[in-house]
Amino acid sequence: MQRLEDLVRLLGPNDPDYEFHLASISLDQEPAAREPTGMASGIAPRSPPGGSDLAAPYNQRRMATRVRRRRRKPHHPIWHKLAIPLGILVALVLVAGGMAAAWAIDVYNSAPALASLKPVQKGRSSAIYAADGSLIGFIRSENVRQPLPEKAQPQVLRDATIAIEDKNFFEHGALDYEGIARAAWKDLQAGAAVQGASTITQQLVRNLYIHNPENTLKRKLIEASLAVELEEAHDKNWILTQYLNSAPYGTVEGQTAVGAEAASQTYFSKPAKRLNLTEAALLAGLPQAPSEYNPFLDPKAALKRRNEVLLVMNEQGYITGNEYREAKTRGLGLNPGDKYQVIKDPFLFDLVQNELIEEYGINTVRKGGLKAYTTIDPDLQAKAEYAVENYCSVCYPEGGPVAGLASVDPSTGAIVALASTEGFADESQFNYAWQARRQPGSSFKTIVLTAAVKEGIDPGSTYYDGTSPKALEIPGGGTWTVNNSEGEGGGTYDLESATWHSVNVVYAQLDLDVGPENVTQMAQEMGIESPLQSVPAEGIGGLGIGVTPLEMADAYATLASGGIHHDPTAVSKVEFPNGKVDNFEKDSGKRVLTEGQAYEVTRILEGVITQGTGAGYTSMGCSSAAGKTGTSEELSDAWFVGYTPLFSTAVWVGHPTTREYTGFGGPTAGPIWANYMSEAVEGDCPEFEAGSAPELEGLDSDHTSSGSYDGHEEEAYEGYEEESEESEDKGDGGDNGGEEEDAAEPEPEPTPAPEPTPTPAPAPSGGGVSPG
């Protein structure tokens, strides 16, 4: 008993059986004071087995048991405590799950039909090619993309993409349920989204049909529904091909490479079909995080990602262990490409691009995947460049005169060559052949002559007094004083001789008789697009802002084609991705003259080369060649515009920013024209078509004279030719016979831009602005 008491004290009240032990001690110490419970109720206690001598200990044990049962708290299993809340939770989960499932099914079924959706316009890069098919350059856009057919996509890239993106691509359907479960388990283990489960089909749907995709369950459900429909419509190889043509592979210098071909050119300067194992592995790893793995921005991350691709390719049997071990030791092997940035001929490129934008709009041009073929013939272009560089006797860089040459095919309007020498360094983006508007001088007289012939005036029997200076009354009042370049003198000229010798006074009177408005209309019908003011001075080359060599070449081409005008075009044809082809070179133009009328003008212009102001400078080996010289006031602009049935070509020479002396048109621009044209025709000299002779008669007006051309004046002109050459050698500006000062205003400096906006100079109000 003593030991029990000591033990109880040692255990203390914290022991769970402490009260039981105390009760046992109390019963042992006071047996007589306690009676069995059954005595109080009149029920005799049951004797324990073994006799009465065991009754006391047995009763004590029973009493102790009762006390313990009364004192101790009952111990129930823990699940009894959790059963109710768990049951409630399960019920709530089931209810919520049912609602969520119903919502998910509703969203999934709400996805629109695939056929009703318009794919996101990833676009494809448009390119400009020369006539021989050589690439000039790609039209710049925020995305560069060149889709490839399946056979042009390298198998190694297709294998690498499947290995890293969707290893069971060919085994599962549109959705990879095993992959979804695997990704969900890993996300649960990590406590965050660490692995995706989208198949290549789902990613293609996202690329093509989901505008601005958000990372929401609703978007994923709709995406899944569309993916199932896409796989029902197309086979796996089609889907993989389209994915490799639409996946983003990173942004470099502001342009995003979309598709494998653009990526291969951007990172390795090669077509995708030539990718090797390590290069394909690098590209295959980019679409999941193009910025993070961009090898130009983070080479270490790109190398690690590439090696991950190589590892899974090895694990899935696409490459052997030896191939993997050898490949992972290689560097990235980058070779930055500039295919989408380099433009071989910026001037031509800008001209073609502007024409395309005018025709189709800027969005189609930049993203429509157009293949535009220019009319520029590389061989003729090289010959034109050679001519302006080597046959301009007065040209020199950084401040000297420059030259521009434009040549077109009269039968179609196709521009076959545009050449320009370099002016100032800051004018590197300026082409004088089609951007520079300059005073045309006497080369514009051809348009006045053409208008006269169209009105029925016979050049051979219409005479004018060519005495200079001559005061002429102009419509609306006022007097216009006109001078010939050689000063006073002259005589009576018919229009043919006045054309050969470029007599200003005669053409000023002819312009008044034909009517300045009619001259303007004729110029526009022949292709002049620069603004004209319909003033008499324009008839002898005094234009407000001038014209470009391309405009003049196009205008003369109307004569070369027998009176049919074709709008000039730098575009031969445009091919669309769907196979449609637009042809820009058209044989059918607009007839503005009869064939006979055109030939009458051509016949006269042939004399300019053989006996006029172009004689000795413009012979190019063909008898069937015609043209006209042009020299502006102060001899600052020198022109020769001429043609054969094959080509119409205009050459301008002058100072880019000043009105300094350049020279007469014949000796200055003529040799450039002659060299180019002789090389261009290569001995092919067809005759002009004469057509039916037009009905013409001599004009009788207040300005015309009676009589015939006197040879005395021709001798005087020949003396002028010698005088002109002398004055050119001396470097003076020649005798302009007192032209009005406002006619000699310098032209503004050209702005080096694809489409410069020239500042109009005041229209000359008089004077011999066209000495040659």
Side-chain angles (χ1 to χ4, degrees), residues 609 618 620 625-626 640-643 649 651 669-677:
I609 292 177
T618 56
M620 42 77 67
F640 190 80
V641 188
Y643 55 93
T649 302
V651 175
I672 301 173
W673 181 89
N675 174 262
Y676 166 75
M677 288 292 284

Side-chain angles (χ1 to χ4, degrees), residues 49-121:
S52 60
D53 57 330
L54 299 176
Y58 174 76
N59 291 333
Q60 292 173 1
R61 286 195 298 274
R62 288 186 64 200
M63 182 61 70
T65 299
R66 285 178 175 164
V67 172
R68 183 172 62 185
R69 288 174 178 170
R70 285 197 305 268
R71 300 280 187 178
R72 291 183 66 181
K73 296 179 180 179
H75 288 271
H76 300 295
I78 191 168
W79 66 268
H80 280 214
K81 298 179 180 179
L82 299 178
I84 294 177
L86 278 175
I88 295 174
L89 180 60
V90 168
L92 291 175
V93 168
L94 291 174
V95 172
M99 294 175 64
W103 175 82
I105 293 172
D106 183 62
V107 171
Y108 182 91
N109 291 330
S110 70
L114 197 64
S116 69
L117 298 178
K118 185 177 181 180
V120 176
Q121 293 300 315

